[in-house]
Amino acid sequence: MAGRVWKFGDDVNTDVLAPGIYIKLPLEDLASHCLEAVEPNFASYVQDGDIVVGGVNFGMGSSREQAAQVLKVLGVAAVVAPSFGGIFYRNAFNLGLPAIVSNEIDQIEAEQELKIDLKTGVIENITTGKQLAGEAVPENLMDLVEAGG
């Protein structure tokens, strides 16, 4: 998979991804508020295949599966971060959204293009030509991604 990067910092929580004030709205309406607290234009400008790169503890917080669902609804192809909130990580895969662990996100900037090999964990920064290390998606979770969740 390959896509354009949206980059965020550490501790992006589930309430920033799927704000509680909108949680009872239909999923598409909830998605229109995804990440608006940190990037007001995200939901309007994210495109199918784009990749979210987050900092440490991406998706921390409540167990709301909508935090991963809204990214999927908006067309995000994958999320890359050094670590994830445990419940977000599993919810992402349950919904077919790959969450790649990588400690080399400091070599990735917003708007760059990445290509990710989920089975090996290799992240190619197409913009810079550098190959970055990520963790391979375990086979059981790869099965979920291939099935669409």
Side-chain angles (χ1 to χ4, degrees), residues 25-142:
L25 295 177
L27 193 55
E28 291 75 20
D29 294 335
L30 175 61
S32 72
H33 297 283
C34 180
L35 292 162
E36 71 183 3
V38 292
E39 176 55 63
N41 295 318
F42 176 76
S44 297
Y45 292 109
V46 67
Q47 297 175 11
D48 283 347
D50 284 355
I51 296 169
V52 168
V53 175
V56 174
N57 211 18
F58 187 88
M60 63 175 271
S62 73
S63 63
R64 65 182 75 158
E65 67 183 17
Q66 295 93 332
Q69 273 182 313
V70 293
L71 292 172
K72 186 99 172 163
V73 165
L74 292 170
V76 171
V79 181
V80 178
S83 62
F84 293 91
I87 296 171
F88 174 87
Y89 182 81
R90 189 55 199 221
N91 282 339
F93 279 104
N94 285 344
L95 295 163
L97 177 66
I100 311 303
V101 175
S102 175
N103 291 317
E104 298 190 346
I105 64 156
D106 59 328
Q107 298 180 54
I108 303 170
E109 298 299 329
E111 300 294 323
Q112 291 180 333
E113 296 284 324
L114 299 182
K115 181 177 180 183
I116 303 172
D117 184 326
L118 300 176
K119 292 184 179 181
T120 65
V122 173
I123 301 166
E124 180 184 350
N125 187 324
I126 296 169
T127 306
T128 65
K130 292 183 180 179
Q131 279 201 345
L132 311 173
E135 292 181 8
V137 174
E139 189 175 327
N140 64 319
L141 298 180
M142 198 64 216

Side-chain angles (χ1 to χ4, degrees), residues 5 18 32 85 146:
V5 170
S32 72
E146 290 171 349

